Amino acid sequence: MTFNFEAMLAEVKTDVLRWRRHIHAHPELSFQEHKTADYIAEQLESFGGLTLTRLTPNSVVADLKGAYPGPMYALRADIDALPIQEENDEPFCSTVPGVMHACGHDAHTSMLLGAAKVLTQCQSALHGSVRFIFQHAEELPPGGAQELVDLGVLDGVEKIFGLHVMPNSPTGEVGLKEGVFCASTDNFDITITGKGGHGSMPHLCIDPVVIGAEVVTALQNVVARRIDPLQVPVLTIATFQSGESYNVIPERVKLAGTLRTHHSSVREQVPLLMEQIISGITAAHGATYELRWTRGYVNGDNHPEACAIARQVIEKTLGPQALREVTQPLFGGEDFSSYQQKVPGCFLFIGSGNEKIGATYGVHNPRFRLDEEALQIGVALHVGFIRQLLMNDA
């Protein structure tokens, strides 16, 4: 059977736009995406031919079994929003105060819905199966991906593919980074306890503010002097909290920050080095400390075989000019990496920037917006993966 994919993609365009705008207007935070998941399930059920599973109440998995036996491949979209107050003036802006789709997950979801609608019409020609994963809680470690992996979402899956919109790249461009493409993401909290007292008598106190400042400065030596320069991580102290009065030396300070690295060995080494530095400084001043870690996502690592498939699909679908080979990995995190710990996968970056419409603000910005023409590119690539892998017409 021959399919007119150009016509099928054009036919679903209006739906994809409508789905994206509905989800954008009704965002839900990580681990709270119940209405979003219900909406997704409602659309999927209307397509017919899919077997739906709710491994968690706030996620949806849909299987499309082809007419012929063969392998199973997975396509994934994340569905959660961020705790950001939207500052755009579009008619479909967030209706939820303080919550916004500022990372494009509404776009990812609508792209995958569009692909599902197209591919369900191709069931008679599929030599294998497709698993559509609409995943919760990408934005908040430990993340929804690992939870779904633990619940068996990749059982029987051979490879997985995912997409992410990127407003700093123009619409029509698709970025691919083979190997490590993003960093591991771990957060830490440091509490330094001294001895409080009157600001006029510091000699009778153990000032945790001064000690904390010394710790902040000294920790930068981990990056500058203790790690191989070719493997340096990002070590950021993002908060420093202590005291509320002009003349009271506080009892303690609280620091918090993040560690990002592309190397698993560095991920294990840095906490040990931080412990040495904090222990030494606090002991020298007669203070005590507590260092607590919250482990986040592992490195995202694009598998060579999956990347080779993605390159072919990009060039066939959009032309060779669309492919941009990314040379440096990001220091951002992405819990798609949890899937890649289990099966080979490839994660692509879909350009969605357009200066003419103001789509220039980065992700996690209250004025983030995207060029909605990028939606069709995402749908076409998802469909292209399955055509390449499970359909003879490719």
Side-chain angles (χ1 to χ4, degrees), residues 176-181 301-305 307-308 311 325-326:
L176 186 158
K177 169 65 174 70
E178 186 168 323
V180 174
F181 69 89
D301 196 344
N302 281 335
H303 193 273
E305 288 184 12
C307 288
R311 287 190 185 94
E325 296 280 358
V326 179

Side-chain angles (χ1 to χ4, degrees), residues 182-184 231 233-234 259-264 266-267 299 331:
C182 71
S184 59
Q231 299 183 348
V234 168
L259 170 67
R260 308 294 178 99
T261 175
H262 300 132
H263 304 275
S264 58
V266 173
R267 189 187 191 195
N299 297 330
F331 272 103

Side-chain angles (χ1 to χ4, degrees), residues 21-30 32-33 35-36 79-82 84 86 92-102 106:
R21 292 183 174 186
H22 173 88
I23 294 169
H24 188 90
H26 302 89
E28 293 181 297
L29 295 173
S30 303
Q32 301 175 28
E33 313 92 329
K35 292 181 180 179
T36 304
I79 70 174
D80 55 325
L82 287 159
I84 294 174
E86 183 162 10
F92 52 89
C93 280
S94 172
T95 60
V96 182
V99 184
M100 176 191 177
H101 273 291
D106 52 338

